[in-house]
Amino acid sequence: MSNQLQALRDITTVVADTGDIEAIKKYQPVDATTNPSLLLKAAEMEQYRSHLENAVAWAKEQSDDADQQIIDAGDKLAVTIGTDIVNIVPGRISTEVDARLSFDTQGSIEKAHKLIALYKEAGIDKSRILIKLASTWEGIKAAEHLEKEGINCNLTLLFSFAQAQACAEAGAYLISPFVGRILDWYKAKTGKSEYAANEDPGVLSVTKIYNYYKEHGYKTVVMGASFRNIGEITELAGCDRLTISPGLLEELSNTDAPLDVKLKDTGATSAPGKPLDEAAFRWELNQDPMATEKLSEGIRNFAADQVKLETLLKSYL
């Protein structure tokens, strides 16, 4: 009997949710995702010290302004680590736009262009890159613009059906609905400490989104993210992609239990309904306290880790 990681690979594209090169080499995912928190964690590892030094040295050549140097160094570091990763995985690397631009459509577009240009300088074509953007209205509109330019996007911090619907209607290449963070909210609010995998609120959310996309023929890829346990992962077996932390990849590889297909694409059966406009999107999001709170919290936390990373980079100036 194959282990559950091997079995999962047969039905779902497995993505590594880490910036740790050694973990990526070990588990051999198709794609990899990073975010400011993962980049901060990687930057604090001794083996990445030269990347920080090189990023700061490069930034000093681009500008004499200390603040701009830190911004440039952060972008260069993200792309350098992303380049290391994309030279290992056969697929794509997701690199995130600064969370502080989550409500700035034009700023997000400009940052995406800058990241793509840095990857091009490193010899990496845009076809190997996904630009990660928060699933705010502004982030979704930025993705819509970038997709029309041929720059594929990964819409992250996605917690609600309204966000998923708007992303599909914008033509986003991929969404990352956050399973575990939804579970966290329900545990905190209900006092219920345990959920069966098939009753997990995060699992139910991704299942609903997946089925809606397939039923209406949307091409946007569904990639479940932010898992708390392997039960959430196995309950979403068959999802387009799942991005999984090294710890849970290891647990799956050490588990020999059978793995059943839970999500299946049976083909489109109906046309999409009326698209969401901005007012409808904001109203639907407002009516979902979990999604409203987790989106705001996620943006704040990613921004805080970006600031910590910049503080670390300053020590190299």
Side-chain angles (χ1 to χ4, degrees), residues 6-13 234 236-241 259-263:
Q6 292 170 329
L8 184 64
R9 284 190 170 120
D10 290 336
I11 54 176
T12 290
T13 299
T234 58
L236 291 173
C239 192
D240 299 328
R241 303 184 191 188
L259 183 69
D260 298 324
V261 177
K262 299 292 185 176
L263 301 185

Side-chain angles (χ1 to χ4, degrees), residues 233-262:
I233 296 167
T234 58
E235 198 62 30
L236 291 173
C239 192
D240 299 328
R241 303 184 191 188
L242 297 174
T243 183
I244 306 170
S245 67
L248 292 178
L249 288 170
E250 179 69 16
E251 190 172 345
L252 286 167
S253 71
N254 291 328
T255 302
D256 293 329
L259 183 69
D260 298 324
V261 177
K262 299 292 185 176

Side-chain angles (χ1 to χ4, degrees), residues 199-237:
E199 298 175 347
D200 184 304
V203 170
L204 295 178
S205 177
V206 175
T207 299
K208 178 181 178 181
I209 292 166
Y210 177 90
N211 289 336
Y212 177 81
Y213 277 17
K214 305 313 176 189
E215 176 187 349
H216 294 292
Y218 287 115
K219 300 301 183 184
T220 300
V221 173
V222 180
M223 182 174 73
S226 175
F227 295 105
R228 296 295 179 258
N229 56 69
I230 64 170
E232 291 179 325
I233 296 167
T234 58
E235 198 62 30
L236 291 173

Side-chain angles (χ1 to χ4, degrees), residues 97-112 131-147 153-157 162-163 166-167 170 172 276-279 281-283 285 295-296 299:
V97 164
D98 190 332
R100 291 167 294 188
L101 296 171
S102 294
F103 303 102
D104 183 347
T105 297
Q106 187 57 40
S108 294
I109 292 169
E110 291 171 1
K111 180 68 76 173
I131 295 295
K132 286 182 76 175
L133 298 153
S135 297
T136 57
W137 181 258
E138 293 81 2
I140 294 168
K141 292 293 106 176
E144 185 174 37
H145 179 95
L146 291 166
E147 292 285 355
C153 298
N154 171 352
L155 274 295
T156 188
L157 294 175
Q163 289 173 292
C167 288
L276 288 174
D277 60 16
E278 181 178 356
F281 172 86
R282 293 195 186 281
W283 178 253
L285 187 60
L295 173 60
S296 297
I299 291 170

Side-chain angles (χ1 to χ4, degrees), residues 55-131:
V56 169
W58 177 86
K60 287 181 176 180
E61 295 174 355
Q62 312 307 309
S63 171
D64 293 327
D65 181 85
D67 291 337
Q68 186 61 46
Q69 288 174 357
I70 293 302
I71 294 171
D72 289 342
D75 292 337
K76 183 67 170 178
L77 179 65
V79 169
T80 300
I81 292 177
T83 299
D84 286 347
I85 293 171
V86 87
N87 284 328
I88 298 171
V89 301
R92 298 177 182 241
I93 177 67
S94 289
T95 297
E96 192 148 349
V97 164
D98 190 332
R100 291 167 294 188
L101 296 171
S102 294
F103 303 102
D104 183 347
T105 297
Q106 187 57 40
S108 294
I109 292 169
E110 291 171 1
K111 180 68 76 173
H113 287 162
K114 181 180 179 183
L115 293 170
I116 291 295
L118 288 173
Y119 272 114
K120 184 176 181 180
E121 289 176 10
I124 307 299
D125 188 75
K126 67 181 181 180
S127 63
R128 303 287 309 282
I129 312 302
L130 292 179
I131 295 295

